[in-house]
Amino acid sequence: MTELNSYSFSPIGVIHSPYKQKFAIPRQPGLVSAAHGKLELLLDENQQELIRDIEQHSHLWLIFVFHGTSDQGWKPLVKAPRLGGNKKTGVFATRSTFRPNPVGMSVVKLNGICKINGNLALDISGLDLLDGTPILDIKPYIPYSDNVTEASSAMAQTPQQTDLLITFNTKAEQQLIQVNADYSDLKLFIEQVLSQDPRPAYKKANTELQEYGMSLYDLNIRWQIQNNDCTVLSIEKLT
């Protein structure tokens, strides 16, 4: 048997994300373009030299740790949302967060360089990462090699499509006006998140009225759904 070494990594940065809980995070990057966040560089990696010329790239690969679920362990078979949430398939055939090594990769759009807490940070969008996600590495997205035009996936060939009609009731519209100045594209952001239908896969066939809440930024957003009608009920500051 081949003897393998163990490796230990320290994060080079941390994500500041509008997603404060796992629920409602899109299942793939780029699906919610209005999701804006920051990648703060830490400790020895908080150096201008490390990101010199990074703005020559429009998009970046982020290698990260699934810190929100890493303590829950993993299993060789997982329930894939694309298979209805009930059928199990091999973990290596999915992008499940429950993996032998809780490591993920995500493509984000680079909007610029800024500072947070006195540290250098990357202004990014289209992210699908939980707030506080530790970042292990940053690599440029190279279109001519990373975009494999002949690639295929029988399980997930195209984005999941929903025909949800998303509306805001009077209360939510009024609250949106009150808080909108503090957030970039808030209404669009909420619409894009809900258009992904963040409910568990097994709930989507339920035709009864269902009510949910989600935390985006420091807001608690309540919404209900029945058949194809999705209504935002309230947008309130978390206390």
Side-chain angles (χ1 to χ4, degrees), residues 19 24 44 54-55 61 86 91-92 110-111 125 132 150 167 177 188 191-192 196 217 236:
Y19 300 113
D44 292 342
I54 198 169
E55 290 175 294
W61 286 107
N86 290 313
V91 66
F92 290 150
L110 175 63
N111 300 311
S125 60
E150 68 271 22
T167 58
I177 293 172
L188 175 62
E191 290 173 340
Q192 288 184 344
Q196 303 301 315
Y217 295 110
E236 298 176 339

Side-chain angles (χ1 to χ4, degrees), residues 66-78:
F66 287 113
H67 73 297
T69 56
S70 59
D71 61 349
Q72 298 178 39
W74 66 279
K75 294 181 180 179
L77 295 175
V78 297

Side-chain angles (χ1 to χ4, degrees), residues 95-170:
R95 295 191 178 186
S96 170
T97 62
F98 304 100
R99 319 186 68 79
N101 292 311
V103 177
M105 55 192 295
S106 184
V107 172
V108 296
K109 182 180 180 182
L110 175 63
N111 300 311
I113 299 172
C114 58
K115 283 200 170 184
I116 295 181
N117 305 319
N119 292 332
L120 288 166
L122 302 180
D123 185 343
I124 58 177
S125 60
L127 69 163
D128 61 341
L129 302 174
L130 183 66
D131 189 52
T133 293
I135 300 298
L136 300 178
D137 199 11
I138 303 167
K139 302 179 188 294
Y141 179 92
I142 307 299
Y144 79 84
S145 62
D146 293 348
N147 182 17
V148 184
T149 57
E150 68 271 22
S152 65
S153 170
M155 187 182 299
Q157 183 63 29
T158 59
Q160 285 185 303
Q161 301 293 325
T162 65
D163 53 0
L164 293 180
L165 175 62
I166 300 167
T167 58
F168 293 69
N169 69 9
T170 301

Side-chain angles (χ1 to χ4, degrees), residues 84 197 199-208 210 227:
D197 196 348
R199 293 177 297 169
Y202 69 91
K203 288 279 192 179
K204 295 181 181 180
N206 190 337
T207 59
E208 296 180 356
Q210 304 169 60
N227 297 320

